[in-house]
Amino acid sequence: MKTENNTKDIKLYSSKAIVGATFLGGPIVAGYLIGENFKALDKPNEGRNSLIIGIVSMIVVIAGLFMIPENIIDKIPRQLIPLIYTLIVWGIVEWKQGDILKWHKENGNLFYSGWRTAGIGFI
């Protein structure tokens, strides 16, 4: 059984690239990149929702950090909080886009470069 390669003419962000950029730039970057994938897949509503969720999540993370007392925040390893939200984003990407990204890769279709994604994460 042969199925049609319906993503051959589009570029997507890979799950690995999204996860790396999220670690660098936070949940807002994840919302943007996941949203861009949805838009490329002709799902603009899901794309908009992803960006909104990313913005709200970033606000929650920042507000949460300000609410933690300073004597406790000093004891938390610096990479722990980014690692937690990055793992959450990885699970969401795999859940919402994992199958299509795997299909896209198996068919030899194009992904945006990791450098581009890292740049978005740094910005």
Side-chain angles (χ1 to χ4, degrees), residues 27-91:
I28 196 167
V29 173
Y32 172 75
L33 296 174
I34 293 168
E36 288 298 302
N37 276 355
F38 275 129
K39 289 177 190 173
L41 296 168
D42 200 27
K43 297 180 179 182
N45 289 336
E46 288 93 331
R48 185 189 72 244
N49 292 344
S50 297
L51 182 57
I52 291 168
I53 291 168
I55 292 168
V56 170
S57 298
M58 190 72 181
I59 292 168
V60 168
V61 167
I62 291 170
L65 288 173
F66 280 114
M67 295 173 84
I68 299 172
E70 196 171 323
N71 62 335
I72 294 174
I73 201 80
D74 289 341
K75 296 176 184 174
I76 298 173
R78 299 234 183 261
Q79 292 83 12
L80 183 62
I81 293 169
L83 185 61
I84 291 170
Y85 64 66
T86 299
L87 289 172
I88 292 169
V89 165
W90 174 76

Side-chain angles (χ1 to χ4, degrees), residues 96-115:
K96 298 301 262 179
Q97 296 181 346
D99 291 339
I100 193 76
L101 293 175
K102 182 188 262 186
W103 169 257
H104 194 71
K105 183 177 180 178
E106 287 173 357
N107 283 285
N109 298 330
L110 296 176
F111 286 95
Y112 288 108
S113 77
W115 290 110

